[in-house]
Amino acid sequence: MVDTARARKIADRIKEVIAANLTQVIKDPDLGFVTITDVRVTGDLQHASVFYTVFGDEAQHATTTELLASHLGRMRSLVGKQLGIRLTPTLEFLPDALPESATAIEDLLREAKEKDAQVAATRTGATYAGDADPYKKPDSEDADGADA
């Protein structure tokens, strides 16, 4: 039986432990500005996926990814000591795709706004293709009923 509330609590605790102790465990000056964004633990509490973002360029992302991978055992040991549960979950550091997704959505919204502005600009001097009032109106004679 899966206890999702317990898994959420453990995930929150893992997030706090890693975020608070990341710079103490990895004492490398090349470690970028890392933010732990989310932790997801499986229902059996055997595996934890740790999502992170790095502030910087692609080289900083690559260096930080390598450092996190090389210190994975030390991070798991720290988490195990801090959690105090029988089995320490295995850790997996995954780069969070949220910033890239947010940037893509912002680009799409900006593009849509520009297209709306273009449509509004072309509409300002536009005239009707046919008559201004496309509906047929009855003739004055038909309206009086004189043709009957």
Side-chain angles (χ1 to χ4, degrees), residues 5-36:
R6 183 166 188 234
R8 274 195 313 267
K9 288 178 187 176
I10 289 176
D12 289 341
R13 184 69 183 131
I14 291 172
K15 181 179 176 182
E16 291 172 6
V17 167
I18 291 175
N21 298 304
L22 189 63
T23 55
Q24 285 81 17
V25 173
I26 304 175
K27 296 177 182 174
D28 194 324
D30 293 334
L31 181 68
F33 184 72
V34 180
T35 303
I36 304 300

Side-chain angles (χ1 to χ4, degrees), residues 84-108:
I85 59 176
R86 186 171 61 91
L87 294 173
T88 303
T90 59
L91 299 178
E92 176 185 22
F93 284 98
L94 301 169
D96 198 354
L98 187 64
E100 291 83 15
S101 300
T103 303
I105 290 172
E106 287 176 3
D107 290 343
L108 290 173

Side-chain angles (χ1 to χ4, degrees), residues 121-137:
T122 58
R123 185 177 50 207
T124 56
T127 59
Y128 293 106
D131 294 333
D133 188 9
Y135 298 105
K136 291 185 180 182
K137 303 243 189 277

Side-chain angles (χ1 to χ4, degrees), residues 18-96:
I18 291 175
N21 298 304
L22 189 63
T23 55
Q24 285 81 17
V25 173
I26 304 175
K27 296 177 182 174
D28 194 324
D30 293 334
L31 181 68
F33 184 72
V34 180
T35 303
I36 304 300
T37 56
D38 193 20
V39 175
R40 295 189 185 143
V41 178
T42 57
D44 60 357
L45 308 177
Q46 296 295 314
H47 183 74
S49 299
V50 181
F51 295 92
Y52 68 94
T53 59
V54 179
F55 184 73
D57 58 353
E58 290 299 321
Q60 190 68 45
H61 285 269
T63 304
T64 301
T65 301
E66 290 173 9
L67 286 171
L68 289 173
S70 65
H71 290 86
L72 193 61
R74 292 179 65 198
M75 291 301 299
R76 183 174 183 223
S77 175
L78 175 74
V79 167
K81 289 176 186 175
Q82 295 289 324
L83 286 181
I85 59 176
R86 186 171 61 91
L87 294 173
T88 303
T90 59
L91 299 178
E92 176 185 22
F93 284 98
L94 301 169
D96 198 354

